[in-house]
Amino acid sequence: MTLMLALLPTLGWAAPQTDELGANDQENVGQNAFKLDTFSVNIPVDLDNFEVFLEPDQPGNEATFALYEQGGGAGIAWTLIWDSGPLVTSMGAGFKSSGTVNVTLDAGNTYAIGVYLDDDHQYGWENNGNGGLNLGWGVVEGTFFAFNDSIPGGVPDEIRWNDGSESNDLYHMRITVNLPEDSDGDGFN
């Protein structure tokens, strides 16, 4: 009797990878505003969590962490695929966490990851930051920002480029993804 083993490719998740983007070169205070970094994804990854560098101006201030996927059409629509709901941010300057996200970012798609500032927060950003940086799993495209006068009432199900502005600046954040074990696509881990 001959025993034959088949090697079947599997897609599992490897150890997490954390990337830090932007800096605190510039600081500003924002309220009722989106601050999102944008990414085009090259290989599917699981977005575990992300953290945005913030400093609330008083106890009890809230921020809502959000993830949008880019669609198409006039004004280029972005569709909400995950949000944390309003979270009270701890006092002091530092990285504030989205909590667990656990959403798969698909290859070939573009995403906007960041925060909606419900209340006044100081935030860090880097002027002409590292847009175009290849993270291995995707490429940093830049930022998208919008204010309450164009997007009233918190985190909507959809936003459009003409609701805000884009730039090569980057908001200061850390993003943790789980890479597939077969990140080179050869069918083997």
Side-chain angles (χ1 to χ4, degrees):
M1 176 174 182
T2 305
L3 181 61
M4 294 177 49
L5 297 174
L7 296 175
L8 300 174
T10 60
L11 183 62
W13 299 110
Q17 173 180 318
T18 300
D19 296 294
E20 187 168 335
L21 306 169
N24 291 332
D25 294 346
Q26 310 286 327
E27 294 181 353
N28 207 344
V29 175
Q31 176 183 10
N32 300 323
F34 274 101
K35 304 298 178 185
L36 305 164
D37 285 342
T38 58
F39 305 84
S40 58
V41 176
N42 300 328
I43 60 172
V45 293
D46 181 59
L47 177 61
D48 184 65
N49 69 77
F50 59 96
E51 302 167 291
V52 180
F53 193 91
L54 297 171
E55 182 176 8
D57 72 340
Q58 62 185 1
N61 279 10
E62 293 182 334
T64 301
F65 296 83
L67 169 64
Y68 283 85
E69 182 176 11
Q70 184 179 20
I76 306 179
W78 291 78
T79 303
L80 180 69
I81 58 174
W82 178 90
D83 77 82
S84 64
L87 299 174
V88 174
T89 51
S90 59
M91 288 302 293
F95 285 101
K96 311 303 180 188
S97 178
S98 65
T100 301
V101 177
N102 198 24
V103 170
T104 299
L105 306 181
D106 295 319
N109 293 348
T110 302
Y111 297 90
I113 300 170
V115 66
Y116 178 82
L117 302 174
D118 301 285
D119 298 305
D120 281 339
H121 287 78
Q122 190 165 330
Y123 56 90
W125 56 280
E126 182 177 9
N127 192 23
N128 293 316
N130 42 4
L133 177 67
N134 188 331
L135 303 173
W137 56 269
V139 176
V140 179
E141 299 291 338
T143 62
F144 176 79
F145 57 95
F147 300 94
N148 194 14
D149 58 347
S150 58
I151 305 177
V155 178
D157 291 337
E158 181 177 276
I159 54 178
R160 294 184 177 275
W161 276 131
N162 55 5
D163 290 331
S165 300
E166 61 181 312
S167 76
N168 291 325
D169 302 333
L170 285 179
Y171 296 111
H172 196 185
M173 67 174 66
R174 292 190 296 221
I175 298 172
T176 300
V177 298
N178 294 306
L179 298 170
E181 289 180 359
D182 180 24
S183 60
D184 63 1
D186 68 357
F188 297 97
N189 296 336

